[in-house]
Amino acid sequence: MRVLLSEPKTLLLDEPFSALDTSLREHLRAFAFDHARQLGLPALLVMHDRDDATVANEKIIDLSELRETTSQN
């Protein structure tokens, strides 16, 4: 919430929902993603929980898949 009030030009979210219980997590994810879309803010979300990325409904880059591809070459 603080970040959105500061009127940023972009968002970098590093595990922003990891310490929250399930219902609060769902509520805050929806709030953050909806506001970022409404404001046209580009956002980078770094996380270990794929559900966080899936809820954002945007492009997902899974670094573990990149690592597997690189190690096979």
Side-chain angles (χ1 to χ4, degrees):
M1 178 62 111
R2 260 185 277 161
V3 171
L4 292 173
L5 289 173
S6 70
E7 300 179 7
K9 299 207 183 327
T10 191
L11 292 175
L12 171 57
L13 304 169
D14 185 6
E15 297 281 347
F17 314 112
S18 62
L20 304 174
D21 65 59
T22 303
S23 67
L24 185 56
R25 177 184 219 147
E26 291 171 3
H27 178 73
L28 288 180
R29 275 193 311 216
F31 177 85
F33 297 145
D34 288 347
H35 278 71
R37 271 190 210 97
Q38 288 173 5
L39 297 171
L41 288 174
L44 176 63
L45 173 66
V46 178
M47 44 50 105
H48 292 93
D49 185 340
R50 191 167 186 91
D51 288 342
D52 286 341
T54 303
V55 170
N57 199 28
E58 295 291 339
K59 183 176 181 178
I60 298 172
I61 299 172
D62 187 334
L63 296 180
S64 66
E65 292 173 8
L66 292 174
R67 187 173 354 144
E68 291 170 12
T69 302
T70 303
S71 65
Q72 293 175 2
N73 292 333

